[in-house]
Structure formats: structure tokens, C-alpha cells
């Protein structure tokens, strides 16, 4: 089994569901949580607790080195200010026909700019799912 390198992964964004997404430039780190809830279905006569998976969830964050000329940061900042839905694409193996991707309609819920003396300026972006995730492989590019 091959190990996955972060340098091959892409986080991309689009203001619309159709068209080509743009890569989030100067990405410093990212995470995506696809956990689901656990529903307790324990009956009164059960010897042990019992659970079944509940509804899925999707949320995450990423940190970007600030670039005032970044078009993707403009899309994300506008989405956060206007509470508009945008589309996030996570491509763990890069771009290419048949390669896996996760396409998620998301709301940008957090926008935090930070820095300190003698360091870069970063934007920490948090997001939550705004609809069903699409795990369909990439089409022809």
C-alpha cells in the first residue's frame, strides 16, 4: 500500500457547481472531518450498550498564506460575508480523469486572519456541509 503525500493533494473551490474549480493557492494545512453521529439503540434488557451509525456530517478547515491578489480567497471571503454556498473539491491524488474526489457544497463559517512579528499572515477558514457530498470520480479534464 502506497503512502499518501500531502503534496499530491489538492483543495479547490468554485463559486458554482459547474465549471472548473480553482486551486486554493498557498495552502499551508487542511483537514476534513467526515464523521457520523452514533445513535444509542440500547434496549432495557440489553446487557451492553448498542449503537448504530446516524447521519453523516462534513466539516473542516484549512489555512492559507494570505495573498491579496488571490481569486480563490476572494470567492471564499465573499461566501463567508454573504453566507453563500460554494463548492469545495478535495482531490487526494491530484487532478485527472478517473481519480477520486470529494465535491462538497459548503458554507464558510469562519474567517480568521492572524500573524505575529516576523511571520507570515495567514487566513484560517472553517466550513460546514451545505448539502450532500459527491464522491464521483473526476471526469475527463
Amino acid at each position: 500500500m502506497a503512502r499518501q503525500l500531502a503534496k499530491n493533494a489538492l483543495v479547490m473551490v468554485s463559486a458554482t457547481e459547474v465549471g472548473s474549480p480553482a486551486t486554493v493557492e498557498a495552502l499551508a494545512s487542511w483537514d476534513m472531518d467526515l464523521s457520523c453521529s452514533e445513535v444509542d439503540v440500547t434496549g432495557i434488557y440489553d446487557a451492553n450498550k448498542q449503537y448504530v451509525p446516524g447521519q453523516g456530517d462534513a466539516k473542516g478547515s484549512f489555512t492559507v498564506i494570505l495573498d491579496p491578489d488571490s481569486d480563490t480567497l476572494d470567492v471564499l471571503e465573499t461566501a463567508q460575508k454573504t453566507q453563500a454556498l460554494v463548492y469545495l473539491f478535495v482531490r487526494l491524488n491530484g487532478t485527472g480523469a478517473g481519480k477520486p474526489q470529494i465535491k462538497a457544497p459548503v458554507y464558510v463559517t469562519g474567517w480568521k486572519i492572524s500573524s505575529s512579528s516576523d511571520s507570515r499572515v495567514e487566513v484560517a477558514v472553517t466550513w460546514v456541509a451545505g448539502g450532500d457530498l459527491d464522491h464521483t470520480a473526476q471526469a475527463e479534464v
Side-chain angles (χ1 to χ4, degrees):
M1 180 174 178
R3 294 183 182 184
Q4 185 66 46
L5 299 176
K7 70 178 185 173
N8 297 330
L10 293 172
V11 175
M12 307 173 85
V13 68
S14 176
T16 63
E17 187 173 7
V18 295
S20 298
T23 302
V24 176
E25 304 103 338
L27 190 64
S29 64
W30 64 275
D31 69 83
M32 177 182 236
D33 182 357
L34 302 178
S35 300
C36 65
S37 61
E38 301 163 356
V39 179
D40 185 345
V41 294
T42 308
I44 194 137
Y45 300 114
D46 292 332
N48 295 308
K49 288 273 202 177
Q50 297 180 25
Y51 299 90
V52 296
Q55 286 187 299
D57 194 8
K59 55 188 161 194
S61 64
F62 50 90
T63 301
V64 179
I65 301 167
L66 182 64
D67 176 357
D69 298 323
S70 169
D71 291 336
T72 55
L73 277 180
D74 285 345
V75 168
L76 292 163
E77 184 177 20
T78 300
Q80 193 272 335
K81 288 178 180 176
T82 62
Q83 298 181 348
L85 196 66
V86 292
Y87 292 85
L88 190 70
F89 297 75
V90 177
R91 297 178 173 175
L92 297 177
N93 298 324
T95 297
K99 289 186 176 184
Q101 76 174 358
I102 300 170
K103 176 180 169 185
V106 303
Y107 289 105
V108 177
T109 56
W111 187 267
K112 179 181 176 185
I113 301 171
S114 62
S115 186
S116 61
S117 61
D118 201 28
S119 72
R120 63 192 186 200
V121 178
E122 296 180 335
V123 179
V125 178
T126 55
W127 58 269
V128 296
D132 293 338
L133 274 59
D134 180 355
H135 293 267
T136 306
Q138 298 172 49
E140 294 292 327
V141 289

